[in-house]
Amino acid sequence: MEFAEIAELEQSKPDKEQTGMVDSGRTSSLSLLRKYIIERISHFFPYINDTKCHVHFLFPEKFKSEKNEDFVTKVLKVHHPLQQKYASAGLTAAMVAGKNTGKVISVWGEDDKKHIVAVLGCSDAPMLSLYYNVCTMFQVMQQKYLYPEYFENIERQMWLWRDKGIAEERISAMLKATNFNYEKVRKITAFYSDVQAFSGAGAYLMIKAVQSGRADLIDRLEKFVLLQAAALSENLLNIQHCVLNCAYPAVKNLIGQIKNHGAAAYLDPQGWVDWKKLYDYTLSEAKNIGYSPHAIMDVRQNEGKFLQIMAKQYPERQQMLNILPWCPEYKNSKILQDFAEAQKFYLNNR
């Protein structure tokens, strides 16, 4: 199945007199989307599955909740009662949380493998669903490749503590107390993970558009992925959950490289996307985005707090963006400069 077929799927618009036709069209779109994703998954497996890791992809609408317990024991190989309880609860929560945008969890099975469960969401918008599913696939790769020498030991220790019935809040406190720089590493890698996942999804869609050779599709997908990345910058204004996941500069750079130099650098000899190459490229972009570790760590107290004050003073977004470059905070912060560029693109192209 070709990428262009997914790109051309139009979102059905509800019509009171054509409810049956709409439902049928939606079902058909979701079926085609799942078919496309399943074809890619078969090529993705070798990048993850080995003697240490195994990935399981699940569609929420296809997974029956009554199979939860059997899946945990027979597929994930979790037999300890307390671990089973935790894994089962995590699987149930992932199915709900990942219904539209995907979710990744992992457990250590008694076969001494890390079992990664990837929930793939599907919505009425096929291209957006594909975008989020590719994000999920990069999150799967991070489970295996993102600083495994550090996180593998921590994850094993967490499961040993769960065996003993220790509460999650206590486990979190113990990790901070027993692992030097744990909180710092956790926050910085969480930023890298977000930027890489969204950069990887944007790059994947652009690679497929370039492979199609269609100028109209390339232009449409370029705008689509830049809009998705630009929209993320809004999270800096969230008072309760201020998050730095402005992937816009990384996505913009990747899109430019793929448009100007083609997709060959990201493909295997058979013309399929080489997931490890793309993973390495996108992680490099995330790390080279230009934010210091301290800037990432302190973004809530610095840029986040500053922008929230600005938003109260200038509730009209364009007015705030016009004034922002005149502020000394803006001139000394690449985070604020990237935020402004992303927001301007979003406002002008949504």
Side-chain angles (χ1 to χ4, degrees):
M1 186 175 186
E2 296 299 323
F3 172 78
E5 295 180 64
I6 302 299
E8 295 303 328
L9 289 175
E10 297 293 336
Q11 182 177 351
S12 299
K13 296 181 179 180
D15 187 318
K16 291 182 180 180
E17 296 182 0
Q18 295 181 328
T19 304
M21 293 177 63
V22 170
D23 290 343
S24 176
R26 178 179 182 277
T27 301
S28 177
S29 294
L30 292 179
S31 177
L32 288 172
L33 177 62
R34 279 194 292 265
K35 180 180 178 182
Y36 179 87
I37 293 169
I38 289 169
E39 288 175 353
R40 270 68 205 165
I41 285 173
S42 64
H43 184 260
F44 179 81
F45 278 134
Y47 291 90
I48 304 297
N49 294 348
D50 56 21
T51 57
K52 291 185 177 181
C53 287
H54 195 94
V55 61
H56 312 269
F57 287 98
L58 303 175
F59 291 101
E61 64 273 19
K62 296 290 185 179
F63 186 83
K64 298 185 182 299
S65 58
E66 58 266 25
K67 291 184 178 180
N68 191 315
E69 187 175 329
D70 281 348
F71 186 82
V72 168
T73 56
K74 296 178 181 178
V75 179
L76 302 185
K77 312 296 183 184
V78 178
H79 300 137
H80 189 285
L82 290 176
Q83 286 191 4
Q84 284 181 351
K85 182 178 179 181
Y86 179 85
S88 183
L91 181 59
T92 299
M95 286 295 173
V96 175
K99 187 175 182 181
N100 291 321
T101 57
K103 183 72 175 177
V104 175
I105 63 171
S106 64
V107 303
W108 284 93
E110 292 188 19
D111 56 355
D112 202 34
K113 280 189 179 183
K114 182 176 185 177
H115 289 266
I116 306 164
V117 180
V119 177
L120 298 175
C122 288
S123 70
D124 288 337
M127 189 51 62
L128 188 62
S129 289
L130 179 57
Y131 174 83
Y132 278 118
N133 283 327
V134 177
C135 283
T136 301
M137 293 169 82
F138 274 93
Q139 290 164 353
V140 168
M141 296 196 75
Q142 290 163 5
Q143 289 277 336
K144 179 174 181 176
Y145 295 110
L146 188 60
Y147 304 126
E149 67 284 354
Y150 181 84
F151 286 108
E152 181 175 324
N153 290 333
I154 286 178
E155 289 170 355
R156 286 182 179 276
Q157 182 61 66
M158 290 172 69
W159 282 96
L160 288 174
W161 284 334
R162 287 175 185 134
D163 280 351
K164 299 176 181 179
I166 299 175
E168 292 301 308
E169 295 79 7
R170 178 61 179 156
I171 288 176
S172 179
M174 291 167 70
L175 286 174
K176 293 176 186 178
T178 58
N179 291 275
F180 178 70
N181 273 344
Y182 170 75
E183 194 66 11
K184 179 179 179 180
V185 173
R186 186 184 66 81
K187 286 185 178 181
I188 292 173
T189 53
F191 167 74
Y192 289 159
S193 297
D194 281 343
V195 173
Q196 185 191 34
F198 291 113
S199 298
Y204 176 88
L205 296 187
M206 183 52 58
I207 288 168
K208 302 308 293 184
V210 167
Q211 278 187 302
S212 76
R214 288 175 45 184
D216 64 318
L217 193 54
I218 293 171
D219 290 343
R220 180 149 57 95
L221 266 296
E222 178 182 21
K223 181 179 178 180
F224 173 83
V225 298
L226 286 174
L227 271 175
Q228 300 309 314
L232 295 172
S233 62
E234 185 77 14
N235 289 314
L236 270 178
L237 290 165
N238 189 314
I239 295 175
Q240 292 184 327
H241 305 289
C242 175
V243 176
L244 174 63
N245 55 5
C246 184
Y248 182 82
V251 172
K252 181 181 176 183
N253 190 31
L254 280 164
I255 295 305
Q257 291 179 30
I258 296 167
K259 280 191 68 177
N260 294 331
H261 303 294
Y266 309 92
L267 306 177
D268 67 13
Q270 288 72 45
W272 289 76
V273 169
D274 186 314
W275 290 97
K276 187 60 169 65
K277 285 182 181 178
L278 191 53
Y279 175 90
D280 291 339
Y281 274 113
T282 50
L283 183 59
S284 177
E285 287 293 330
K287 289 182 176 180
N288 294 327
I289 202 168
Y291 308 157
S292 71
H294 285 295
I296 296 170
M297 289 282 293
D298 300 333
V299 69
R300 179 189 289 269
Q301 293 78 22
N302 296 332
E303 286 84 357
K305 188 173 181 180
F306 172 73
L307 285 173
Q308 289 154 21
I309 293 171
M310 287 283 290
K312 286 184 179 179
Q313 292 178 332
Y314 307 101
E316 204 280 313
R317 185 59 50 83
Q318 189 60 60
Q319 184 184 25
M320 186 188 83
L321 293 174
N322 290 339
I323 293 171
L324 192 57
W326 297 94
C327 301
E329 291 88 349
Y330 173 89
K331 296 175 182 178
N332 296 316
S333 172
K334 187 175 186 299
I335 290 174
L336 290 178
Q337 293 162 16
D338 288 342
F339 166 84
E341 183 181 357
Q343 283 286 298
K344 287 177 182 177
F345 182 88
Y346 181 76
L347 291 177
N348 293 331
N349 293 279
R350 60 181 175 176

